[in-house]
Every structure is written in structure tokens, then in C-alpha cells.
Amino acid sequence: DTAVSQTPKYLVTQMGNDKSIKCEQNLGHDTMYWYKQDSKKFLKIMFSYNNKELIINETVPNRFSPKSPDKAHLNLHINSLELGDSAVYFCASSQVIRSQGWSGYTFGSGTRLTVV
Amino acid sequence: GIQVEQSPPDLILQEGANSTLRCNFSDSVNNLQWFHQNPWGQLINLFYIPSGTKQNGRLSATTVATERYSLLYISSSQTTDSGVYFCAVAPFARAGNNRKLIWGLGTSLAVNP
């Protein structure tokens, strides 16, 4: 299946732990993103990579570190987890097509992170 | 920065009704997209529409860039249309930065059978 797949789907962990979320896309897109959706459904971009290069780095605690080993993968590592990190984290990818502008975003199914 | 306002915040419809969702934005954009988040959390891209009109089945969208708004029309609504509809925009900027979408707070739609 062509898709953006992220793992795990659910993650429950204690405060202070370090965890990673993995994302892979097989759509051939050149740009990948991490978004955070809070309990009020507000979506905010965290990071974006274009062909393995970091192009968007929003005001995010430096406990969050993205890594893109190649343009099909974008992982998110979180150190010293805090209660406020509880949210749904979405990975997405996109591609600019000169004749059309955009192929549009394709989102993964989300990772629900609960910090206890 | 650019502001994105969506209205109404909540909408309840009977199956078969039509509806119009609105997105206002405070600055010129070169990227505007509509998304649907279903009740299970999955986000689906509906339209890329920085200007003009597009249609896809029972859904259509119109963006009037000069007046800084976009409309999403849902006709003959079905229960599967329930969820949250988001508008997201990126302002005119150097190449590359139009990937940074700024999101509205969404319109939560419930379609009752």
C-alpha cells in the first residue's frame, strides 16, 4: 500500500523517559513533516525536512529532535518526557508539482502519546 | 503572522442537508488546503485551492484570493461526512516556506441520520 506509516500508534510512558516515533512514506514525496495536535484539536507544525534537509524548525523544546536518514523516513525522538507532551503526533509528506502546485499533504494515522 | 479563522466552529446537520464552511485569512497566500479529520482521527487532504473553484463529488471549494476567504461546500451530507474540517494556508514567501501551513481551529461537523 502507498502511504505514510508511523509507529507506534499508541505510546504510554512515564515522565522522564525517552521515546521515539518512526515515520516512513513510500509516495516518493520530497518533504516530510511532524505535527502536534493538542487536546483541543489544534494542529501545529513542529519540523519539516526537504530531501533530508531541515527547512522548518518551529519553537519546540530542544528535547524534541527529528532525524531524517533519507527522504523516505523522518523520525522524532523525545527526551525527558513531560506531562505536557501528551498529544497526538502526526507525520505527513508532500510534493511540489510544478504544473499543479502541490500534490497535497498525506498524513499518517497519528501516534497518541500519553505521559503519566 | 497570518491569522486563519474558520466558521462556524460547530455545525449539526440532518443527513441530506447542504452546508457551507468558511475560512478567512488575514494576508495573501499562495497555498491553501482543506482537510477532513474523521472521528477516528485520520486526516485527509480534500483540496489544494489557493484560488479558483474545484469540485470532487459532493464536495466543492472556492477561494477568492483577493478577498482573502475560501468556502467549502458539502452537498447532500452523509453521516460519513462527520468530523472536523480544517483550512490551512501558507503566506507568500520565498520558495520552500510555502510548505509551512498555518491551520485554522476547524469546523466540527456532525451529520445525524
Side-chain angles (χ1 to χ4, degrees):
Chain A
D1 287 344
T2 54
V4 177
S5 56
Q6 54 181 110
T7 55
K9 196 168 173 61
Y10 300 96
L11 189 51
V12 181
T13 188
Q14 290 189 321
M15 273 194 332
N17 284 350
D18 304 339
K19 289 293 178 188
S20 291
I21 308 172
K22 296 189 175 186
C23 180
E24 175 182 4
Q25 56 96 3
N26 61 5
L27 299 163
H29 288 171
D30 63 2
T31 307
M32 295 184 73
Y33 311 80
W34 278 111
Y35 276 86
K36 179 180 180 180
Q37 187 172 42
D38 63 23
S39 57
K40 295 185 178 169
K41 300 281 192 183
F42 182 62
L43 273 154
K44 190 169 188 307
I45 192 166
M46 300 171 69
F47 303 103
S48 177
Y49 274 74
N50 177 251
N51 287 322
K52 299 197 298 175
E53 180 188 350
L54 182 65
I55 59 169
I56 296 172
N57 186 356
E58 288 299 283
T59 308
V60 175
N62 57 15
R63 299 182 293 104
F64 290 79
S65 53
K67 271 202 172 57
S68 182
D70 55 61
K71 76 172 192 175
H73 294 84
L74 179 60
N75 304 323
L76 182 66
H77 188 76
I78 316 170
N79 288 329
S80 303
L81 277 154
E82 300 178 358
L83 294 176
D85 298 331
S86 296
V88 181
Y89 293 84
F90 284 97
C91 176
S93 69
S94 71
Q95 176 77 33
V96 174
I97 301 172
R98 284 198 182 276
S99 60
Q100 301 171 26
W102 283 75
S103 69
Y105 271 46
T106 302
F107 277 86
S109 56
T111 296
R112 183 174 293 276
L113 171 66
T114 303
V115 182
V116 298
Chain B
I2 194 168
Q3 305 295 316
V4 182
E5 293 183 359
Q6 291 186 241
S7 59
D10 300 283
L11 187 56
I12 299 174
L13 298 175
Q14 282 300 120
E15 207 167 19
N18 303 328
S19 62
T20 301
L21 282 55
R22 187 176 180 103
C23 172
N24 291 336
F25 42 96
S26 61
D27 206 346
S28 300
V29 300
N30 66 356
N31 188 345
L32 186 148
Q33 301 188 36
W34 283 96
F35 297 85
H36 175 225
Q37 187 168 35
N38 68 23
W40 297 272
Q42 181 66 48
L43 277 155
I44 303 294
N45 183 274
L46 298 175
F47 294 103
Y48 163 68
I49 187 162
S51 64
T53 297
K54 288 186 178 177
Q55 178 149 10
N56 185 2
R58 295 180 297 102
L59 301 181
S60 64
T62 295
T63 297
V64 183
T66 53
E67 296 187 24
R68 299 183 184 168
Y69 72 88
S70 184
L71 302 174
L72 178 70
Y73 304 95
I74 305 173
S75 64
S76 305
S77 58
Q78 301 176 357
T79 55
T80 52
D81 296 330
S82 296
V84 182
Y85 289 82
F86 290 102
C87 168
V89 306
F92 274 104
R94 291 174 302 158
N97 283 346
N98 69 348
R99 293 176 176 86
K100 180 182 169 184
L101 292 179
I102 307 301
W103 293 65
L105 296 180
T107 292
S108 181
L109 173 65
V111 181
N112 294 326

